[in-house]
Amino acid sequence: MEITDLQKDLAATFRWTARLNMHEGVANHFSVCLPGSSTDFFVNKAGIHFSQIKASDLILVTKENIEKLKKKPEIVDPTAINIHGAIHKKVAHAKCIFHVHSKYATILSTLKDPTLKPIDQNTMMFYNRVSVFNEFGGLGFEEESEKMASALGNKQHMLLANHGIIITGETIAEGFNALYYFEKAAETYLTALSTNRELNVVSHEIAEKTAQETANYPIDLAGMHLNQIKLILDKEEPEYKN
């Protein structure tokens, strides 16, 4: 089977996530739908460290093979199939899904009030665009995954209370860029809280304006970000494309 650009791009994001130390052992998972589909998607093979993932390590889950794969956890992590399958199917805008237990997003998820308040440009980027799944009920098997998909609704992203973060995007570049900036935003917010000083929270109007301006930026910063990552990997870790 010929390796696609989707696989190469997604493989690059795994490698870069490892460099950013946002991975967790051989857990966590990213996925991308085939063009025009909400049931067929690539997801990482079970048991491979993010720093080692290659394009060929991405498994194509389809409506025809999904039930068989659910019985083969050595090929695809069952929580990956359940979480990504449920969200792709139910949420039309979630063409790409990035799920991690990164340090700052996970710390944020443990707070009684995990709202990311708008205190800088990065936190404002996510203003009113993150839902909170506040019903942790165990690992992401079928019942839990269906609840997650319903909780995401029309928001782009979802903080999983006591768990981690789910970031979605229409494209791999958009989704990964949001993942990168959410972690930075969470780090800024939590660091600000640690000062025990009063936060300078901007108004609803300014936060929403900034979020809209970021979403409608006149150049494709997300695409440029991913292209630069691939240029570096092409020189330093070219096997990611294999």
Side-chain angles (χ1 to χ4, degrees):
M1 181 177 175
E2 184 179 350
I3 293 175
T4 66
D5 287 339
L6 281 179
Q7 289 167 278
K8 293 175 185 178
D9 285 357
L10 197 60
T13 68
F14 283 107
R15 296 283 179 124
W16 208 254
T17 299
R19 290 197 182 201
L20 296 172
N21 197 30
M22 289 168 59
H23 58 300
E24 186 162 81
V26 295
N28 299 167
H29 14 86
F30 299 168
S31 65
V32 58
C33 284
L34 293 186
S37 177
S38 62
T39 57
D40 299 357
F41 57 93
F42 285 110
V43 68
N44 45 308
K45 187 176 181 180
I48 302 179
H49 195 275
F50 275 24
S51 68
Q52 301 300 304
I53 286 179
K54 304 186 298 292
S56 58
D57 293 320
L58 301 176
I59 304 298
L60 182 60
V61 179
T62 69
K63 55 182 178 292
E64 287 80 23
N65 70 12
I66 189 169
E67 294 305 320
K68 289 182 180 178
L69 285 172
K70 284 181 179 180
K71 298 173 184 175
K72 296 185 176 181
E74 72 279 5
I75 297 178
V76 182
D77 186 315
T79 61
I81 286 184
N82 288 315
I83 293 172
H84 293 251
I87 294 175
H88 282 312
K89 191 172 181 179
K90 282 193 171 186
V91 184
H93 62 264
K95 298 303 181 188
C96 305
I97 300 170
F98 296 80
H99 172 50
V100 293
H101 305 160
S102 52
K103 179 178 179 179
Y104 292 101
T106 303
I107 294 170
L108 184 66
S109 83
T110 68
L111 302 184
K112 187 71 174 176
D113 177 9
T115 306
L116 193 62
K117 291 184 171 59
I119 59 170
D120 78 324
Q121 288 188 142
N122 290 342
T123 52
M124 292 178 217
M125 182 189 306
F126 298 97
Y127 183 72
N128 273 348
R129 284 149 179 81
V130 181
S131 65
V132 177
F133 178 64
N134 207 17
E135 301 177 26
F136 182 80
L139 300 182
F141 293 111
E142 290 199 33
E143 182 181 356
E144 189 81 350
S145 297
E146 291 295 328
K147 290 179 182 177
M148 288 181 189
S150 297
L152 179 58
N154 64 358
K155 298 289 177 72
Q156 289 107 322
H157 318 300
M158 181 164 60
L159 196 67
L160 306 173
N162 311 107
H163 185 165
I165 184 69
I166 283 178
I167 295 288
T168 78
E170 292 276 357
T171 66
I172 292 170
E174 178 188 300
F176 180 75
N177 197 61
L179 177 68
Y180 173 84
Y181 278 105
F182 189 88
E183 184 71 0
K184 288 183 70 67
E187 180 179 8
T188 296
Y189 179 61
L190 292 165
T191 304
L193 287 180
S194 74
T195 67
N196 292 316
R197 304 278 295 274
E198 185 176 358
L199 300 181
N200 185 14
V201 180
V202 305
S203 67
H204 162 76
E205 290 76 17
I206 292 298
E208 181 59 36
K209 178 176 181 287
T210 304
Q212 289 285 354
E213 287 173 343
T214 303
N216 299 323
Y217 206 71
I219 57 175
D220 181 15
L221 290 176
M224 295 166 72
H225 186 189
L226 182 56
N227 284 337
Q228 289 297 304
I229 287 169
K230 290 191 294 181
L231 280 175
I232 296 169
L233 292 175
D234 286 346
K235 294 176 182 177
E236 299 178 3
E237 301 178 45
E239 69 278 5
Y240 83 92
K241 296 183 289 187
N242 297 341

